[in-house]
Amino acid sequence: MERDERRRAELAANLVQVNDRIARACEAAGRPVESVTLTAVTKTYPASDVALLAGLGITDVGENKDQEAAAKAADLTAAGVRLRWHFVGQLQRNKVKSVVSYADVIESVNSERLAEALGRATAGRAVPLDVLIQVSIDGDPARGGVIENDLWRVSDTVTSSDGLRLAGVMAVAPLGWDPDRAFERLALLAGGLAERYPGATTVSAGMSGDLEAAVRHGATHVRIGTSLLGMRNSLR
Ligand SMILES: *Cc1c(COP(=O)(O)O)cnc(C)c1O
């Protein structure tokens, strides 16, 4: 078999397994399987893998570094492949202009200043850019998420920008936490946000190791890298 064909078969097999895990988790939770969207986190993997995944039916992809994401998005767009690009990494304000040029969703809004910079970069858009607020589940802001006390300030900043649409929250389960406890807490924060902003219903939670717990606690999007594409070489 040609290398591309082998890789396609490998990705297809992994995708069957991941979709099966999602379907079983939905069934156990009494949720329709369509209520969970799979976002393939393709960081460190080449654009050719993204193209293969798109061919296998993946619609949403996640990336965490601007330079890498911009290049892949340009490649795929040039090849006529339409995908929904999720930016899931730490976003420096000097990269905002670039990221808003290709991203369909920014999942990692974690400060008022970043929300303001995104608001300026998207002002006057016909269709607002979806953003998720990355929340800190354990209250440690050093890990990149907004702590509960700051959640209203950051969400108000997002909703006061015409170019942005507050779509919901994103979180990563803190290391060493039981994922059920983590996502239960996230569900509370997400519920509070959706009560205040009725359109903010997205809950992006769950990765290769803990997607079942995330689905149990209401995740609408799971972000899967390793189980779909394989172990990444570098820690990032
Ligand atoms: C890398 C990454 C993922 C995917 O993690 P896996 O464990 O490889 O599935 C999900 N979310 C974020 C924010 C990531 O950086």
Side-chain angles (χ1 to χ4, degrees):
M1 253 195 293
E2 212 182 300
R3 219 172 110 246
D4 219 39
E5 266 309 302
R6 264 206 319 269
R7 183 59 169 157
R8 170 193 283 277
E10 185 174 48
L11 291 174
N14 291 346
L15 181 57
V16 166
Q17 293 207 341
V18 169
N19 278 334
D20 190 53
R21 283 176 64 189
I22 294 171
R24 276 185 288 155
C26 283
E27 195 183 347
R31 301 179 53 191
V33 70
E34 313 78 49
S35 65
V36 177
T37 299
L38 168 60
T39 302
V41 179
T42 49
K43 64 190 183 194
T44 79
Y45 287 97
S48 55
D49 278 355
V50 183
L52 289 172
L53 286 170
L56 293 166
I58 287 287
T59 54
D60 291 67
V61 292
E63 287 284 338
N64 72 339
K65 296 248 190 312
D66 170 55
Q67 222 183 348
E68 182 184 343
K72 281 184 217 173
D75 270 13
L76 273 291
T77 302
V81 180
R82 257 308 289 154
L83 287 158
R84 211 167 143 75
W85 293 87
H86 298 243
F87 192 85
V88 303
Q90 286 277 358
L91 177 51
Q92 255 105 49
R93 270 171 294 136
N94 62 352
K95 307 283 185 173
V96 158
K97 239 179 116 172
S98 169
V99 170
V100 303
S101 72
Y102 59 82
D104 297 287
V105 193
I106 314 263
E107 298 205 7
S108 42
V109 175
N110 61 0
S111 73
E112 256 182 297
R113 289 177 72 187
L114 176 57
E116 283 164 4
L118 286 165
R120 281 192 297 275
T122 54
R125 279 194 173 211
V127 181
L129 176 66
D130 278 356
V131 307
L132 305 182
I133 296 177
Q134 184 177 350
V135 298
S136 161
I137 290 176
D138 62 0
D140 180 356
R143 272 200 261 271
V146 173
I147 61 169
E148 191 174 0
N149 283 344
D150 295 335
L151 188 54
W152 299 143
R153 255 208 313 276
V154 179
S155 48
D156 288 345
T157 305
V158 170
T159 54
S160 67
S161 301
D162 293 343
L164 302 177
R165 186 182 83 87
L166 180 63
V169 295
M170 181 273 259
V172 176
L175 267 178
W177 273 51
D178 166 28
D180 276 293
R181 178 172 166 235
F183 296 134
E184 193 179 341
R185 182 153 165 64
L186 175 65
L188 276 173
L189 295 170
L193 191 77
E195 215 166 274
R196 179 153 165 161
Y197 301 105
T201 53
T202 297
V203 181
S204 172
M207 316 200 305
S208 294
D210 56 18
L211 78 85
E212 284 82 2
V215 168
R216 213 159 23 244
H217 296 286
T220 62
H221 288 66
V222 292
R223 307 179 308 271
I224 308 299
T226 310
S227 290
L228 214 44
L229 292 124
M231 288 287 272
R232 291 177 292 276
N233 286 325
S234 51
L235 280 176
R236 48 189 288 182

